[in-house]
Amino acid sequence: MTISAGRFVEAKWQKSSYSEGNGANCVEMARPGRSVLLRESDAPATVLGAPPARLAALLAAIKEGHLGPR
């Protein structure tokens, strides 16, 4: 689901430990309630939200190579 970022201005966003030193090209995450929110630091107005179980399934599929180029 895509969520209006204005609703989560007060959310505590955490940057990925893999982000560049100057803060560019980062993935940020917040968890204000039951959903996990993700956004890119270069486009903070676009926020993606998912229940934790669905995000965990997505990350597992990525790690297992199911979503990469074939």
Side-chain angles (χ1 to χ4, degrees):
M1 84 179 115
T2 302
I3 303 167
S4 169
R7 291 182 51 200
F8 299 105
V9 172
E10 299 297 322
K12 183 178 177 185
W13 292 95
Q14 182 177 359
K15 290 188 180 184
S16 167
S17 60
Y18 290 97
S19 38
E20 295 178 0
N22 63 2
N25 300 321
C26 300
V27 173
E28 299 175 325
M29 182 183 90
R31 189 161 181 200
R34 295 182 181 196
S35 291
V36 176
L37 306 176
L38 300 172
R39 70 180 184 184
E40 184 179 343
S41 60
D42 291 344
T46 302
V47 177
L48 302 175
R54 292 211 179 194
L55 180 59
L58 173 64
L59 294 175
I62 292 169
K63 287 178 182 178
E64 293 170 6
H66 296 297
L67 300 177
R70 299 200 181 238

